[in-house]
């Protein structure tokens, strides 16, 4: 019985760890904060950036391909896996957050195995 409990707990923890990087908000600093969703993306994907309480904030990051428009930005297709700062300017306030870029999936990881 104890082995089943330990196995179930281990499986639950592994599943929770696999889900965590794919969801969530970016961390933020400053009054009010900045939210980047999803917090982890792959090169070429889009993110939603919101600054609660600040309509029309200017949002930028070195990993974005161009400027964020209407709260949406595209990560550069050649972005290197890393964590990048996201900065929003709202009037005289400067708010920061971050977005994590994960590596691309390799073709063998995408295709089903025939074992």
């Amino acid at each position: 019985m104890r082995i089943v409990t330990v196995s179930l707990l281990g499986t639950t923890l592994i599943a929770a760890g696999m889900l965590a990087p794919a969801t969530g908000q970016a961390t933020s600093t400053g009054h009010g904060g900045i939210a980047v969703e999803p917090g982890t993306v792959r090169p070429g994907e889009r993110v939603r950036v919101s600054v609660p309480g600040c309509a029309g904030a200017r949002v930028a990051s070195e990993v974005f391909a161009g400027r964020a428009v209407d709260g949406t930005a595209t990560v550069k297709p050649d972005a290197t896996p890393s964590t990048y700062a996201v900065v929003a300017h709202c009037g005289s306030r400067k708010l920061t957050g971050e977005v994590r870029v994960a590596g691309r999936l390799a073709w063998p990881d995408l295709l089903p195995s025939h074992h």
Side-chain angles (χ1 to χ4, degrees), residues 35-114:
V36 181
E37 296 176 356
T40 301
V41 294
R42 298 198 185 281
E45 290 184 341
R46 298 177 70 129
V47 294
R48 290 176 308 281
V49 182
S50 61
V51 184
C54 185
R58 294 182 326 250
V59 178
S61 176
E62 69 177 283
V63 77
F64 293 163
R67 298 174 61 181
V69 178
D70 294 329
T72 304
T74 302
V75 174
K76 293 177 181 176
D78 60 347
T80 304
S82 187
T83 300
Y84 295 89
V86 178
V87 179
H89 294 276
C90 180
S92 62
R93 295 186 304 156
K94 178 181 174 183
L95 305 159
T96 60
E98 62 185 27
V99 62
R100 181 175 166 253
V101 176
R104 287 198 179 275
L105 292 176
W107 278 106
D109 293 339
L110 295 174
L111 300 174
S113 68
H114 295 13

